[in-house]
């Protein structure tokens, strides 16, 4: 299949792009049939049809999976395959996998287990963290009497520099908690580099990574980066709400944690499994593998998944390039009068498909309303929001209009957004 080159990244071929859109609900119009551009995928994501359909089918089965009859065995097999597919997503060959009500719940649980059971007098995190990770660190630092050390953000890149993190780590640090990619700037942190440098200071340092934002956009390799825990949210990865997924290394899995006493020592799941959640995740992996096969041909499930995620990353990079730089027909956000791209820098390979902008002379919330009037959904990240205040202020901002398309979108969608943005600016 021929793909079109685009300076930065590679676009999907038009026939493949059409197939992709058909596999998701409500890409070009909402559930009421209203045509729109949904550019708020950082707050969720388009839903994969097969993921939701599989969830409904399996959830309709009333049998308990912790029995020995035929339907119970069928449900057990779904759970087993789902866990294998979670390991495929994360490339995690060891450790334990567990699910909870939300990704936020998983990171609170992991943070608490490490903070309460690992020696040390300080915890290190960053200003860029999502509240679920940052607040977990603050909560358990106070509970255990440990010092909370916070690495500052880089106001130019929207990331956190390695040296800003590493300089806070010493032999008494019990935990480092870092985000994989920002859900405001789109900046991807150098997790492998951070882990390497941090463990040069303290070789046995426990490290947690929040991958909720990054997981739908690029490959994750736990075996290579060597973190002790990582999480993601299926609802931001084309799946269903109601679960968060986490991996913990063998040494974290062995620490005292909530579990039924009779269960194995490294078991982190509480209660009966939810087969429908696992089934929906397997459909996500299956979809990405389908995409990998379309792009690269044959291979095993892991190889095809990696190729599919590579294709997603390259396509989204091409969309990001178009969004920022435009074309002969329409100027991009970087060149559009009245628009300022925030936290912008040249290397698109270290950015997920998120752009933060401001429109000169217009309040962020008002701008989001103007977009909705033109059937475009974006989101304001402002300092008055409990989810945004610490992060946007750490980046030297009062707020931003966050634009977050996803790989289901194509060049026509990007150009339509640019034309609408120009109309909004002209209307000032």
């Amino acid at each position: 299949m021929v793909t079109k080159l685009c300076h930065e990244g590679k676009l999907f071929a038009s026939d493949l792009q059409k197939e992709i859109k058909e596999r998701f609900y409500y890409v070009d119009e909402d559930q009421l049939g209203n045509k729109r551009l949904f550019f708020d995928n950082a707050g969720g994501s388009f839903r994969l049809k097969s993921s939701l359909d599989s969830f409904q089918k399996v959830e309709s089965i009333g049998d308990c999976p912790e029995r020995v009859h035929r339907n119970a065995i069928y449900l057990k097999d779904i759970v087993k395959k789902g866990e294998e597919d979670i390991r495929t997503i994360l490339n995690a060959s060891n450790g334990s996998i567990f699910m909870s009500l939300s990704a936020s719940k998983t990171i609170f649980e992991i943070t608490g287990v490490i903070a309460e059971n690992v020696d040390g007098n300080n915890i290190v995190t960053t200003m860029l963290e999502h509240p679920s990770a940052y607040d977990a660190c603050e909560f358990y630092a106070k509970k255990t009497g440990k010092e909370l050390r916070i690495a500052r953000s880089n106001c130019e890149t929207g990331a956190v520099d390695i040296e800003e993190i590493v300089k806070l780590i010493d032999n008494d640090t019990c935990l480092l908690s870092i985000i994989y990619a920002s859900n405001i700037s789109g900046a991807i942190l150098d997790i492998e580099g951070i882990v390497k440098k941090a463990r040069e200071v303290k070789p046995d340092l426990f490290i947690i990574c929040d991958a909720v934002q990054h997981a739908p956009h690029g490959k994750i390799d736990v075996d290579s980066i060597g973190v002790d825990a990582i999480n993601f949210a299926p609802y931001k990865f084309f799946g269903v709400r109601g679960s968060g997924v986490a991996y913990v290394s063998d040494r974290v899995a062995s620490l005292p944690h909530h579990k039924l006493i009779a269960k194995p020592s490294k078991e982190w799941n509480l209660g009966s499994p939810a087969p429908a959640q696992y089934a929906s995740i397997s459909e996500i992996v299956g979809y990405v593998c389908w995409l990998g096969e379309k792009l690269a041909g044959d291979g095993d499930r892991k190889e095809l998944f990696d190729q599919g995620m590579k294709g997603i990353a390259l396509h989204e990079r091409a969309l990001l390039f178009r969004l920022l730089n435009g074309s002969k027909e329409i100027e991009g956000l970087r060149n559009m009068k009245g628009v300022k791209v925030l936290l912008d820098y040249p290397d698109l390979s270290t950015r997920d498909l998120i752009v933060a902008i401001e429109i000169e002379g217009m309040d962020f919330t008002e701008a989001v309303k103007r977009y909705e009037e033109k059937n475009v959904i974006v989101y304001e990240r402002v300092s008055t929001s409990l989810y945004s205040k610490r992060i946007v202020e750490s980046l030297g901002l009062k707020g931003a209009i966050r634009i977050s398309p996803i790989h289901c979108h194509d060049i026509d969608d990007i150009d339509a957004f640019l034309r609408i943005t120009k109309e909004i600016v002209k209307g000032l």
Side-chain angles (χ1 to χ4, degrees):
M1 179 171 292
V2 178
T3 56
K4 182 181 178 183
L5 295 176
C6 183
H7 296 301
E8 294 283 342
K10 291 183 180 180
L11 292 168
F12 295 138
S14 58
D15 56 343
L16 177 58
Q17 186 72 60
K18 182 178 179 181
E19 287 187 74
I20 289 170
K21 282 196 173 187
E22 289 173 351
R23 285 174 175 255
F24 287 81
Y25 286 111
Y26 310 129
V27 177
D28 293 322
E29 58 184 35
D30 67 16
Q31 74 279 8
L32 300 176
N34 302 310
K35 186 174 177 59
R36 71 168 185 170
L37 287 174
F38 183 75
F39 277 23
D40 186 28
N41 287 278
S45 75
F46 288 129
R47 300 295 192 252
L48 181 66
K49 292 177 180 178
S50 62
S51 182
L52 269 65
D53 294 348
S54 179
F55 177 88
Q56 183 178 14
K57 176 183 176 182
V58 175
E59 186 64 15
S60 69
I61 300 171
D63 299 72
C64 174
E66 296 185 320
R67 302 290 185 267
V68 296
H69 57 274
R70 184 174 61 249
N71 273 6
I73 293 170
Y74 169 72
L75 294 174
K76 284 179 184 176
D77 289 342
I78 288 173
V79 172
K80 181 180 178 181
K81 184 175 187 295
E83 180 170 321
E84 290 171 354
D85 282 333
I86 291 169
R87 292 186 180 277
T88 294
I89 291 171
L90 300 175
N91 193 35
S93 59
N94 56 22
S96 298
I97 302 295
F98 77 101
M99 298 181 72
S100 191
L101 182 64
S102 66
S104 296
K105 178 67 174 173
T106 65
I107 207 161
F108 256 87
E109 181 79 8
I110 297 165
T111 301
V113 166
I114 295 172
E116 293 183 331
N117 294 287
V118 174
D119 291 338
N121 61 22
N122 69 82
I123 294 170
V124 176
T125 190
T126 83
M127 292 296 289
L128 206 60
E129 304 304 306
H130 185 275
S132 62
Y134 183 94
D135 292 359
C137 287
E138 183 174 298
F139 178 87
Y140 282 103
K142 289 179 179 178
K143 183 177 181 181
T144 60
K146 301 181 193 296
E147 177 190 2
L148 181 61
R149 299 176 179 176
I150 309 161
R152 64 183 182 180
S153 304
N154 184 318
C155 295
E156 293 184 4
T157 66
V160 182
D161 298 333
I162 293 178
E163 56 269 23
E164 289 295 323
I165 297 170
V166 175
K167 73 181 185 182
L168 300 178
I169 297 168
D170 58 31
N171 286 329
D172 289 317
T173 303
C174 78
L175 169 65
L176 168 62
S177 181
I178 47 174
I179 197 166
Y180 210 123
S182 169
N183 63 7
I184 291 181
S185 69
I188 304 169
L189 274 65
D190 180 4
I191 301 300
E192 189 168 2
I194 292 169
V195 171
K196 179 181 178 182
K197 290 294 184 181
R199 291 214 173 110
E200 287 176 1
V201 178
K202 185 176 183 181
D204 62 347
L205 179 64
F206 283 79
I207 303 175
I208 296 175
C209 183
D210 169 10
V212 171
Q213 177 55 51
H214 181 64
H217 304 289
K219 180 181 174 182
I220 294 173
D221 192 338
V222 167
D223 284 353
S224 292
I225 61 179
V227 294
D228 287 287
I230 197 165
N231 69 338
F232 71 90
Y235 85 92
K236 287 195 176 185
F237 202 166
F238 328 140
V240 300
R241 289 187 181 272
S243 68
V245 181
Y247 153 89
V248 289
S249 66
D250 285 329
R251 64 178 185 152
V252 174
S254 299
L255 292 172
H257 59 277
H258 294 148
K259 77 174 193 68
L260 300 182
I261 293 172
K263 291 278 190 175
S265 62
K266 295 181 181 179
E267 174 66 52
W268 275 59
N269 282 313
L270 277 170
S272 300
Q277 295 283 357
Y278 288 93
S280 69
I281 291 172
S282 287
E283 289 297 331
I284 294 167
V285 174
Y287 160 73
V288 176
C289 289
W290 166 81
L291 186 55
E293 187 174 8
K294 289 283 187 177
L295 295 170
D298 296 332
D300 63 25
R301 195 164 174 85
K302 182 68 176 72
E303 291 169 340
L304 290 176
F305 182 84
D306 288 348
Q307 288 297 325
M309 292 308 301
K310 179 181 177 182
I312 286 172
L314 290 173
H315 178 76
E316 290 189 349
R317 194 180 305 166
L319 295 182
L320 178 59
F321 184 89
R322 182 79 162 217
L323 187 60
L324 292 170
N325 298 297
S327 63
K328 292 180 180 179
E329 290 72 33
I330 180 72
E331 60 264 45
L333 296 174
R334 283 173 170 167
N335 306 308
M336 192 173 293
K337 186 177 179 181
V339 174
K340 181 179 180 181
V341 180
L342 306 171
L343 309 167
D344 190 21
Y345 59 100
D347 187 1
L348 302 189
S349 69
T350 58
R351 299 172 63 174
D352 282 335
L353 183 51
I354 294 177
V355 175
I357 68 168
E358 64 175 305
I359 295 176
E360 295 176 10
M362 185 176 291
D363 175 77
F364 298 111
T365 302
E366 177 61 27
V368 168
K369 290 179 180 177
R370 295 283 185 93
Y371 274 112
E372 186 177 7
E373 289 170 359
K374 295 180 178 294
N375 300 315
V376 177
I377 303 302
V378 291
Y379 185 61
E380 73 271 25
R381 300 303 302 261
V382 291
S383 59
T384 54
S385 164
L386 69 90
Y387 287 102
S388 305
K389 179 178 175 61
R390 167 180 38 82
I391 305 170
V392 297
E393 289 181 352
S394 81
L395 294 168
L397 306 173
K398 292 183 178 180
I401 303 162
R402 184 181 67 187
I403 306 157
S404 54
I406 204 166
H407 77 278
C408 303
H409 290 115
D410 57 26
I411 287 297
D412 290 341
D413 296 325
I414 298 298
D415 287 356
F417 175 83
L418 291 173
R419 287 192 292 270
I420 288 168
T421 301
K422 192 168 184 177
E423 290 174 9
I424 292 173
V425 173
K426 281 186 176 179
L428 288 175

